[in-house]
Amino acid sequence: MIVLKISNASEVVASKVGKFLELLTPDSIDHTTVEDQVIKKMVENLAAEGIKGEIAAINGLELDGENLSVHKGLNVRKHAAF
């Protein structure tokens, strides 16, 4: 299993839509938007390589260095099979 943590979602959104609009969007929307785009591209690229599997965006998991924490309300926000 692979865990991917995106730590610069706000900066990515700001570079794509401009700093002013980024200031108007909550960080949770920024993370969701970037995660959804990463999932879409990963599914496209992995499927093109013939790799089969599943990918999910999960709320309630926190990766901090070598520590993985599970929080109350753990759920799958988005799921895709390829």
Side-chain angles (χ1 to χ4, degrees):
M1 181 171 291
I2 297 171
V3 176
L4 171 68
K5 177 181 179 181
I6 298 169
S7 58
N8 68 335
S10 293
E11 291 87 1
V12 171
V13 170
S15 72
K16 301 293 183 190
V17 299
K19 191 67 175 167
F20 176 73
L21 289 177
E22 189 276 329
L23 291 172
L24 298 176
T25 61
D27 284 343
S28 61
I29 302 251
D30 294 348
H31 286 285
T32 299
T33 301
V34 172
E35 284 177 349
D36 290 349
Q37 287 302 309
V38 168
I39 288 172
K40 179 181 173 185
K41 289 295 185 181
M42 287 180 74
V43 166
E44 290 172 3
N45 292 329
L46 293 170
E49 293 294 326
I51 298 172
K52 294 182 181 180
E54 298 177 60
I55 189 168
I58 300 175
N59 292 333
L61 263 181
E62 183 65 34
L63 179 63
D64 185 21
E66 294 184 5
N67 297 317
L68 184 64
S69 302
V70 177
H71 300 280
K72 191 174 185 176
L74 179 72
N75 69 330
V76 175
R77 184 184 61 73
K78 183 176 181 91
H79 176 266
F82 53 94

